[in-house]
Amino acid sequence: MKSINRHVLYIIISITISSQTTQAQKKTNEQRVDSVMSLMTLEEKVGQLNQYSDDLIATGPITIDADKASQIKKGQVGSLLNCMGSERTRTWQKAAMQSRLKIPLLFAQDVIHGYKTTFPIPLAESCSWDLKAIELSARVSATEASASGINWTFAPMVDICRDARWGRVMEGAGEDTYLGSKIAYARVKGFQGDKPGEINSLMACAKHFAGYGAALGGRDYNSVDMSERQLLEIYLPPFKAAANAHVATFMSSFNDLNGLPSTGNRHLLRDILKGNWKYDGFVVSDWSSIGEMITHGNVKDGYEAALCAMTAGCDMDMESRNYKNNLIQLVKDKKVSVSLIDDAVKRILHKKFELGLFDDPYKFCNTEREQKELNDPTHALAARDVAKRSIVLLKNDNHLLPLSKNTKTIAFIGPLVKPKMQNKGFWDVEVPGIDSAYVVSQWEGLVNKVGKTSTILYAKGCNIEGNNRDGFAEAVNVAKQADVVILSIGERRDMSGEAKSRSIIEIPGIQEELLKELLATGKPVVVIINAGRPLVFNYTAKNAPAIIYTWWLGSEAGNAIADVMFGDYNPSAKLTMTFPASTGQVPLFYNHFNTGRPPKNDSDLRNSYIDLPIYPRYEFGYGLSYTSFQYSQLHLNKKKLKSNEQLEVSATITNTGNYDGEEIVQLYLHDLVGSIVRPVTELKDFKKIALKVGESKTITFSIDAEKLSFFNQELKWVAEPGEFDIMIGASSKDIQLKDRFELVE
Ligand code: NOJ
């Protein structure tokens, strides 16, 4: 006991000392920022607010600026994006070191799901519901990128999205606010590490603030019109979670929100973010979004655009050059005060100090470290681990999967079997001078797994798009010779991503027709679906005996897919977006309100379409395992809960099948009567547990008033007394245990 106490005391003392050190450090940084600022001219201050893209790669409409180097040397640039590699970043940093005050540059990059090692696309990773795996993916990405000169990533994207037509849905964590907030927190921690300035960490950026995922019609960059309540309750919490994780920066979004482009939206940036949330990091605009306000039509020219964005609270101008061209004049004209500019500059310089760049501007430009980190074999292992956790088993009739490693002949068919780069999905990084083509194709993965024991036959069958059936005969012929057929179909990787919205989200081309021909051979067919969004594939869903949804899994895709298909990993992932049965159903999401006339059954179409029920193909939270789980013994420690109390809810989960496995146990609530209509069901907690065959575990959830709260008519965050249904299950629909409790005054 004594030793435990001493241990506890030691921890308390260490925490106190370390928080004092952090406080002291902060103070020193503040003093250092002030002393640099006291030396700066207005022109140099405005320079800090200016970010350019290097011309290595373009992630937006690039302006080739021959004069970049001389501007940097004059202190007119605060940051570069799209500049990678320890040598190239060093070269530009050297230019900054020739400026009068030697203020170092920040180097930013879209490190979205990996750097040299590509991890699964973020939407895929979200299906793991595995916060440690998600954090690890960000950690490894940060380790590689920070060794390659970069110190700032434009990630995580934390936009909630309920419309699978939107191409950028691949970049987020799906449709749910609760899960999205947990994932936002984990990703920020993963990128940023334990404290600012660690050599293997990046500053993160919560984007796109705000509402971008709700673009009308799922069209990229489109307008967003939503109630303040929906904004606060559904779309902003993941941003708040990122802020709670001390995310270093925010990015304003392209879209207009209720008529005001987010980049010039004072309510969002100054009132909510910097006001209510007391956020002390800085805000960068999206690419050219300050200038794009002119095209939106709420400002006349660059002068007004700069005025609007600066007043609203946007600190750094990515690529539009409107701050650089107008802020000094705006100060002269007394439209913008120097103190407003000072506030923005302070926020940016503070981050540069936190990163340690003033002490060593070349801190992240070490070629030896770059070589070491970019060739660390453990990164591939991590990528494989996260990838297999991201694969969703959608269907498995008669336990077709896992396949036996002794299968004599396997036909591996489809347009996505052999390509390598497709597996990377959108937003991979092509690192100049580095072999970023490292990807284990699906073919190689299968060969690695059973190449020595099975005969593996191949046919492409058809292309991803188009209607050329010339390859069908060969595919059928190959299938006939096999004991089992594996068919890999889906989207092209660039069919989702920025500016990649689709009006029809079906599997493109004649790929499902190829499946039909293969099924006609009578052979068992396992279908792999590759995509960056939920797709519609009714024929496959109804007719294929086994389906795995792999999204885009990154560098280790082939190995991870083989791990799952042959049972070396028992799939555990669950969908984080509702899968519609038709494009016409979107936006479709699980936590909707009830209408006054909800459908009673499939044939009751009053609240649906006359030609289609409103039920999804697969619901939020859905995903199968090779084993089965039984839910029992729901227990609530009280049936009446006071607002200052906790309700403890426990349930026992047993692995009743034949494989060890993991289950994502989901807890949903429904507020029966609310002064504002409440969703039919809402995820409020989950636990991912591992169970050996026959093993049982009892898990406990805690519910407090916070979990029961919502924004009422006055937009106050309240928990209203009344009854709540509590539901525990394997998906939002597959509810296994249910009870009711009451919140009393
Ligand atoms: C535009 C995208 O919307 C944003 O997410 C990205 O970070 C920037 N371009 C920079 O590449």
Side-chain angles (χ1 to χ4, degrees):
M1 188 66 185
K2 256 188 178 167
S3 75
I4 292 176
N5 281 344
R6 220 176 299 147
H7 183 63
V8 171
L9 195 66
Y10 172 76
I11 293 175
I12 293 171
I13 291 170
S14 321
I15 291 173
T16 317
I17 291 174
S18 106
S19 90
Q20 279 168 357
T21 322
T22 322
Q23 284 304 321
Q25 182 67 39
K26 208 169 168 202
K27 214 161 173 209
T28 329
N29 282 346
E30 266 155 31
Q31 288 163 347
R32 294 173 85 188
V33 168
D34 286 344
S35 70
V36 174
M37 297 241 336
S38 67
L39 303 173
M40 291 173 86
T41 63
L42 182 59
E43 197 190 26
E44 283 164 336
K45 287 177 181 172
V46 170
Q48 286 305 303
L49 314 185
N50 187 27
Q51 184 186 52
Y52 287 148
S53 175
D54 191 359
D55 4 275
L56 261 188
I57 55 167
T59 51
I62 198 157
T63 310
I64 301 290
D65 199 335
D67 193 23
K68 230 167 258 161
S70 71
Q71 289 185 48
I72 291 174
K73 287 178 193 163
K74 283 191 213 137
Q76 293 171 345
V77 182
S79 169
L80 287 180
L81 72 144
N82 292 332
C83 177
M84 283 173 276
S86 59
E87 280 177 16
R88 192 166 177 108
T89 48
R90 179 178 284 273
T91 305
W92 285 114
Q93 197 69 292
K94 273 189 183 160
M97 288 306 110
Q98 291 173 45
S99 65
R100 191 177 73 91
L101 293 174
K102 302 189 183 351
I103 299 177
L105 294 167
L106 291 171
F107 294 100
Q109 188 64 41
D110 289 290
V111 182
I112 309 290
H113 55 112
Y115 188 64
K116 182 194 170 194
T117 309
T118 310
F119 282 75
I121 57 168
L123 181 58
E125 280 185 2
S126 73
C127 293
S128 72
W129 300 51
D130 189 327
L131 302 176
K132 283 208 182 101
I134 290 168
E135 186 173 332
L136 174 72
S137 154
R139 184 93 293 277
V140 172
S141 309
T143 304
E144 289 188 356
S146 64
S148 201
I150 294 157
N151 40 44
W152 179 15
T153 175
F154 294 137
M157 192 271 245
V158 303
D159 295 310
I160 294 297
C161 178
R162 296 165 154 187
D163 189 336
R165 291 172 300 181
W166 191 48
R168 296 197 81 167
V169 68
M170 50 78 50
E171 212 180 322
E175 74 189 33
D176 185 63
T177 303
Y178 178 82
L179 180 60
S181 303
K182 295 276 175 202
I183 291 177
Y185 192 93
R187 288 199 165 125
V188 172
K189 286 283 172 203
F191 284 126
Q192 296 197 161
D194 292 333
K195 55 178 193 323
E198 285 174 341
I199 185 72
N200 58 355
S201 294
L202 300 172
M203 295 200 301
C205 179
K207 71 185 190 186
H208 308 81
F209 199 62
Y212 188 37
L216 271 173
R219 281 165 43 212
D220 212 359
Y221 317 127
N222 210 7
S223 295
V224 175
D225 204 301
M226 68 165 70
S227 70
E228 187 73 2
R229 177 176 308 102
Q230 191 169 78
L231 179 71
L232 294 174
E233 206 166 300
I234 306 292
Y235 288 86
L236 291 195
F239 288 98
K240 183 66 171 61
N244 291 347
H246 304 293
V247 69
T249 64
F250 266 60
M251 185 187 290
S252 64
S253 56
F254 283 126
N255 58 284
D256 76 85
L257 177 66
N258 304 330
L260 252 193
S262 299
T263 302
N265 195 318
R266 192 191 167 104
H267 174 58
L268 272 181
L269 302 180
R270 272 219 201 276
D271 299 347
I272 297 180
L273 180 63
K274 292 179 174 175
N276 296 351
W277 298 359
K278 302 192 173 31
Y279 179 68
D280 64 3
F282 72 87
V283 178
V284 61
S285 77
D286 203 340
W287 185 297
S288 245
S289 67
I290 296 181
E292 287 177 17
M293 289 197 288
I294 305 167
T295 325
H296 274 285
N298 74 312
V299 294
K300 189 172 77 205
D301 50 22
Y303 179 87
E304 281 191 7
L307 170 63
C308 180
M310 180 43 66
T311 317
C314 179
D315 302 304
M316 187 180 273
D317 174 2
M318 184 196 298
E319 266 291 326
S320 98
R321 291 157 171 77
N322 283 303
Y323 277 1
K324 167 180 175 279
N325 293 338
N326 298 290
L327 277 180
I328 294 173
Q329 191 57 45
L330 281 160
V331 171
K332 282 188 191 147
D333 296 347
K334 301 207 172 355
K335 297 265 173 62
V336 167
S337 66
V338 175
S339 64
L340 210 56
I341 292 177
D342 280 354
D343 176 64
V345 177
K346 261 186 196 166
R347 288 169 183 266
I348 293 164
L349 291 186
H350 200 95
K351 292 298 163 201
K352 294 186 175 183
F353 273 111
E354 270 187 357
L355 283 173
L357 289 175
F358 276 96
D359 299 319
D360 178 5
Y362 307 109
K363 182 173 168 181
F364 299 98
C365 316
N366 177 332
T367 316
E368 255 171 59
R369 189 166 84 86
E370 181 175 39
Q371 280 308 314
K372 181 175 156 278
E373 295 296 1
L374 298 192
N375 293 299
D376 183 337
T378 64
H379 296 177
L381 298 178
R384 181 170 179 167
D385 189 60
V386 179
K388 67 194 188 193
R389 290 170 187 280
S390 306
I391 298 173
V392 190
L393 176 66
L394 292 179
K395 192 174 177 188
N396 196 18
D397 284 356
N398 302 319
H399 302 286
L400 175 56
L401 289 171
L403 300 174
S404 159
K405 288 184 188 158
N406 297 319
T407 308
K408 239 175 109 203
T409 308
I410 300 169
F412 202 4
I413 297 173
L416 286 156
V417 171
K418 293 257 172 132
K420 279 176 175 280
M421 298 304 276
Q422 288 291 339
N423 294 286
K424 289 192 157 207
F426 201 86
W427 280 125
D428 65 316
V429 189
E430 278 174 36
V431 188
I434 306 265
D435 178 18
S436 354
Y438 146 60
V439 178
V440 180
S441 72
Q442 298 179 18
W443 176 259
E444 289 165 334
L446 192 70
V447 170
N448 293 344
K449 186 67 76 184
V450 292
K452 294 207 175 92
T453 49
S454 307
T455 303
I456 310 174
L457 307 174
Y458 166 74
K460 184 175 174 193
C462 63
N463 293 324
I464 293 172
E465 288 180 288
N467 53 8
N468 185 338
R469 293 166 168 265
D470 290 353
F472 274 27
E474 188 201 2
V476 167
N477 183 28
V478 160
K480 281 184 180 157
Q481 298 168 49
D483 301 299
V484 65
V485 177
I486 305 169
L487 174 66
S488 184
I489 54 178
E491 292 187 316
R492 248 191 2 252
R493 69 160 168 158
D494 61 355
M495 285 180 158
S496 54
E498 186 177 345
K500 305 289 179 203
S501 294
R502 290 180 67 197
S503 66
I504 298 176
I505 55 171
E506 291 170 10
I507 294 189
I510 50 171
Q511 298 179 86
E512 285 196 285
E513 289 175 38
L514 174 62
L515 169 64
K516 198 170 179 184
E517 302 263 334
L518 298 176
L519 287 172
T521 63
K523 301 288 179 174
V525 183
V526 177
V527 180
I528 300 171
I529 302 182
N530 306 265
R533 58 158 62 77
L535 290 177
V536 171
F537 44 93
N538 291 323
Y539 176 80
T540 308
K542 283 185 199 141
N543 297 288
I547 307 171
I548 56 172
Y549 210 84
T550 56
W551 310 99
W552 297 118
L553 293 172
S555 302
E556 283 288 324
N559 285 333
I561 292 172
D563 284 342
V564 164
M565 280 196 303
F566 290 87
D568 287 333
Y569 182 73
N570 182 357
S572 60
K574 306 240 187 195
L575 301 176
T576 54
M577 279 196 81
T578 305
F579 273 45
S582 160
T583 312
Q585 289 179 327
V586 297
L588 189 67
F589 49 96
Y590 85 98
N591 49 349
H592 57 85
F593 292 162
N594 243 346
T595 68
R597 297 181 184 184
K600 294 194 181 92
N601 51 47
D602 264 11
S603 48
D604 177 2
L605 301 177
R606 291 174 305 168
N607 175 224
S608 307
Y609 303 95
I610 56 170
D611 52 358
L612 187 72
I614 199 62
Y615 302 113
R617 170 64 58 202
Y618 301 109
E619 73 275 8
F620 174 85
Y622 173 83
L624 302 174
S625 163
Y626 295 151
T627 193
S628 50
F629 299 100
Q630 189 191 60
Y631 287 59
S632 64
Q633 296 175 46
L634 178 63
H635 180 257
L636 277 60
N637 74 339
K638 49 175 79 97
K639 285 293 180 79
K640 289 193 189 292
L641 173 74
K642 290 194 190 135
S643 55
N644 59 352
E645 289 178 341
Q646 299 251 339
L647 170 67
E648 304 282 314
V649 185
S650 62
T652 301
I653 320 296
T654 306
N655 182 343
T656 51
N658 300 322
Y659 298 86
D660 296 347
E662 290 155 283
E663 174 69 326
I664 300 166
V665 183
Q666 301 160 44
L667 181 143
Y668 294 89
L669 289 178
H670 172 53
D671 184 347
L672 269 68
V673 180
S675 58
I676 296 288
V677 178
R678 303 309 304 143
V680 291
T681 182
E682 274 179 295
L683 182 77
K684 287 294 173 178
D685 212 339
F686 66 90
K687 283 199 162 55
K688 186 167 187 176
I689 51 168
L691 291 169
K692 300 223 172 296
V693 173
E695 192 186 1
S696 293
K697 273 186 190 159
T698 298
I699 52 174
T700 305
F701 296 104
S702 294
I703 293 174
D704 55 13
E706 180 68 16
K707 284 206 164 123
L708 309 177
S709 298
F710 61 92
F711 286 97
N712 70 6
Q713 281 192 57
E714 289 78 41
L715 295 182
K716 291 219 173 73
W717 184 243
V718 293
E720 293 181 346
E723 288 182 310
F724 292 80
D725 279 338
I726 179 158
M727 296 155 284
I728 295 185
S731 80
S732 56
K733 188 169 132 202
D734 183 6
I735 297 305
Q736 297 283 326
L737 304 167
K738 190 169 174 179
D739 205 339
R740 189 168 282 183
F741 67 90
E742 190 182 348
L743 178 70
V744 292
E745 303 276 356

